[in-house]
Coordinates of all heavy atoms in Angstrom, one line a residue:
A134 N 134.8 131.6 279.5 CA 134.4 132.8 278.7 C 135.1 132.7 277.3 O 136.2 133.0 277.2 CB 134.8 134.1 279.4
K136 N 135.1 134.4 274.8 CA 135.6 135.6 274.2 C 137.2 135.6 274.4 O 137.9 136.2 273.6 CB 135.0 136.8 274.7 CG 135.2 137.1 276.2 CD 134.7 138.4 276.6 CE 133.3 138.4 277.1 NZ 133.0 137.8 278.4
A137 N 137.6 135.0 275.5 CA 139.1 135.1 275.8 C 139.9 134.3 274.7 O 141.0 134.7 274.3 CB 139.4 134.5 277.1
D155 N 130.6 130.4 278.7 CA 129.9 131.7 278.8 C 130.1 132.4 277.4 O 131.3 132.6 277.0 CB 130.6 132.5 279.9 CG 130.2 134.0 279.8 OD1 129.1 134.3 279.6 OD2 131.1 134.8 280.0
S178 N 125.8 136.1 278.1 CA 125.8 137.5 278.6 C 125.8 138.5 277.5 O 126.2 138.1 276.3 CB 127.1 137.7 279.5 OG 127.4 136.7 280.3
E204 N 120.6 141.7 281.4 CA 121.4 142.9 281.8 C 120.7 144.2 281.9 O 121.3 145.2 282.3 CB 122.6 143.0 280.8 CG 123.4 141.8 280.6 CD 124.9 142.0 280.7 OE1 125.3 143.1 281.2 OE2 125.6 141.1 280.3
R228 N 121.6 139.5 285.9 CA 123.0 140.0 286.1 C 122.8 141.4 286.8 O 122.4 142.3 286.1 CB 123.7 140.1 284.8 CG 125.1 140.8 285.0 CD 126.0 140.8 283.8 NE 127.2 141.5 284.1 CZ 128.2 141.7 283.1 NH1 128.0 141.3 281.9 NH2 129.3 142.3 283.5
I244 N 138.3 147.6 281.5 CA 137.9 146.2 281.8 C 137.3 146.1 283.2 O 137.1 145.0 283.8 CB 139.0 145.1 281.6 CG1 140.3 145.5 282.4 CG2 139.3 145.0 280.1 CD1 141.4 144.4 282.2
T246 N 133.9 146.4 285.2 CA 132.5 146.3 284.7 C 131.4 146.5 285.9 O 130.3 146.8 285.6 CB 132.2 145.0 284.1 OG1 132.8 143.9 284.8 CG2 132.8 144.9 282.7
F253 N 127.0 147.6 282.2 CA 126.7 146.2 282.4 C 125.7 145.9 283.6 O 125.8 146.6 284.6 CB 127.9 145.4 282.6 CG 128.9 145.5 281.5 CD1 129.9 146.4 281.5 CD2 128.7 144.7 280.4 CE1 130.8 146.5 280.5 CE2 129.6 144.8 279.3 CZ 130.7 145.7 279.3
H282 N 129.6 140.3 287.3 CA 131.0 140.2 286.8 C 131.6 141.5 287.2 O 131.3 142.5 286.7 CB 131.1 139.9 285.3 CG 132.5 139.9 284.8 ND1 133.3 138.9 285.0 CD2 133.1 140.9 284.1 CE1 134.5 139.2 284.4 NE2 134.4 140.4 283.9
G284 N 134.8 142.6 287.1 CA 135.8 143.2 286.2 C 136.8 142.1 285.9 O 136.7 141.0 286.4
S285 N 137.8 142.5 285.0 CA 138.7 141.5 284.6 C 140.1 141.7 285.1 O 140.4 142.9 285.5 CB 138.7 141.5 283.0 OG 139.1 140.3 282.5
Q286 N 141.0 140.7 285.1 CA 142.4 140.9 285.6 C 142.4 141.4 287.0 O 143.1 142.4 287.4 CB 143.2 141.7 284.6 CG 144.7 141.8 285.0 CD 145.4 140.5 285.1 OE1 144.9 139.5 284.8 NE2 146.6 140.5 285.8
G319 N 130.7 135.2 288.2 CA 131.4 135.7 287.1 C 132.9 135.3 287.0 O 133.3 134.4 287.6
G320 N 133.6 136.0 286.1 CA 135.0 135.7 285.9 C 135.9 136.8 286.4 O 135.5 137.4 287.4
G321 N 137.0 137.0 285.9 CA 137.9 138.1 286.3 C 139.2 137.7 287.0 O 139.9 138.6 287.3
F322 N 139.4 136.4 287.2 CA 140.6 136.0 287.9 C 141.8 136.4 287.2 O 142.0 136.1 286.0 CB 140.6 134.5 288.1 CG 139.3 133.9 288.5 CD1 138.9 132.6 288.0 CD2 138.4 134.6 289.4 CE1 137.6 132.1 288.4 CE2 137.2 134.0 289.7 CZ 136.8 132.8 289.2
Y326 N 151.3 138.8 284.7 CA 151.9 139.2 283.4 C 153.4 139.6 283.6 O 153.9 140.3 282.8 CB 151.1 140.4 282.9 CG 149.8 140.0 282.2 CD1 148.6 140.2 282.8 CD2 149.8 139.5 280.9 CE1 147.4 139.8 282.1 CE2 148.7 139.1 280.2 CZ 147.5 139.3 280.8 OH 146.3 138.9 280.2
E358 N 132.7 132.2 285.6 CA 132.9 132.5 284.1 C 134.3 132.9 283.8 O 134.5 134.0 283.2 CB 131.9 133.5 283.6 CG 130.4 133.2 283.9 CD 129.5 134.4 283.7 OE1 130.0 135.5 283.4 OE2 128.3 134.3 283.8
P359 N 135.3 132.1 284.1 CA 136.7 132.6 283.8 C 137.0 132.4 282.4 O 136.7 131.5 281.7 CB 137.5 131.6 284.7 CG 136.7 130.3 284.7 CD 135.2 130.7 284.7
G360 N 137.8 133.4 281.9 CA 138.3 133.4 280.5 C 139.8 133.3 280.6 O 140.5 132.3 280.5
R361 N 140.4 134.5 280.9 CA 141.8 134.7 280.9 C 142.6 133.6 281.8 O 143.6 133.1 281.3 CB 142.1 136.1 281.5 CG 143.6 136.5 281.5 CD 143.8 137.7 282.3 NE 142.7 138.7 282.2 CZ 142.7 139.7 281.4 NH1 143.7 140.0 280.7 NH2 141.7 140.6 281.4
A362 N 142.0 133.4 283.0 CA 142.8 132.5 283.9 C 143.0 131.1 283.4 O 144.0 130.5 283.8 CB 142.1 132.5 285.3
R400 N 146.2 144.2 273.1 CA 146.1 144.6 274.5 C 147.1 145.7 274.8 O 146.6 146.7 275.5 CB 146.4 143.4 275.4 CG 145.4 142.2 275.1 CD 145.5 141.2 276.2 NE 145.0 141.7 277.5 CZ 145.7 142.0 278.5 NH1 147.0 141.9 278.5 NH2 145.2 142.6 279.6
Y404 N 145.0 148.8 276.2 CA 144.9 148.9 277.7 C 146.3 149.3 278.3 O 146.5 149.1 279.5 CB 144.5 147.6 278.3 CG 143.3 146.9 277.7 CD1 143.5 145.7 277.1 CD2 142.0 147.4 277.7 CE1 142.5 145.0 276.5 CE2 141.0 146.7 277.1 CZ 141.2 145.5 276.5 OH 140.2 144.9 276.0
A457 N 145.1 134.7 276.1 CA 143.8 135.2 276.3 C 143.7 136.6 275.7 O 144.6 137.4 275.8 CB 143.4 135.4 277.8
Y458 N 142.6 136.9 275.0 CA 142.3 138.2 274.3 C 143.5 138.6 273.4 O 143.8 139.7 273.3 CB 142.1 139.2 275.4 CG 141.0 138.8 276.4 CD1 141.2 138.5 277.7 CD2 139.7 138.8 275.9 CE1 140.2 138.1 278.6 CE2 138.6 138.4 276.8 CZ 138.9 138.1 278.1 OH 137.9 137.7 279.0
M462 N 141.0 139.1 269.6 CA 140.8 140.5 269.4 C 141.6 141.0 268.2 O 141.7 142.2 268.0 CB 141.3 141.3 270.6 CG 140.4 141.0 271.9 SD 141.0 141.9 273.3 CE 140.6 143.6 272.9
Ligands
LLP551 N1 131.9 137.0 282.3 C1 131.6 138.2 281.8 C2 130.2 138.6 281.9 C3 132.6 139.1 281.2 O1 132.2 140.3 280.8 C4 133.9 138.6 281.1 C5 134.9 139.4 280.5 C6 134.2 137.3 281.6 C7 133.2 136.6 282.2 C8 135.6 136.8 281.5 O2 136.5 137.5 282.2 P1 138.0 137.0 282.5 O3 137.9 135.8 283.4 O4 138.6 136.7 281.2 O5 138.6 138.2 283.2 N2 139.9 142.2 276.5 C9 140.2 142.5 277.9 C10 139.4 141.7 278.8 C11 137.9 142.0 278.6 C12 137.0 141.2 279.5 C13 135.6 141.4 279.2 N3 134.7 140.6 280.0 C14 141.7 142.2 278.1 O6 142.4 141.8 277.2 O7 142.2 142.4 279.2

Side-chain angles (χ1 to χ4, degrees):
K136 65 172 90 72
D155 164 43
S178 319
E204 303 229 15
R228 175 173 177 182
I244 54 177
T246 43
F253 301 97
H282 174 75
S285 205
Q286 183 55 15
F322 316 143
Y326 282 103
E358 302 168 359
R361 184 191 324 265
R400 303 193 66 257
Y404 317 114
Y458 304 110
M462 294 177 73

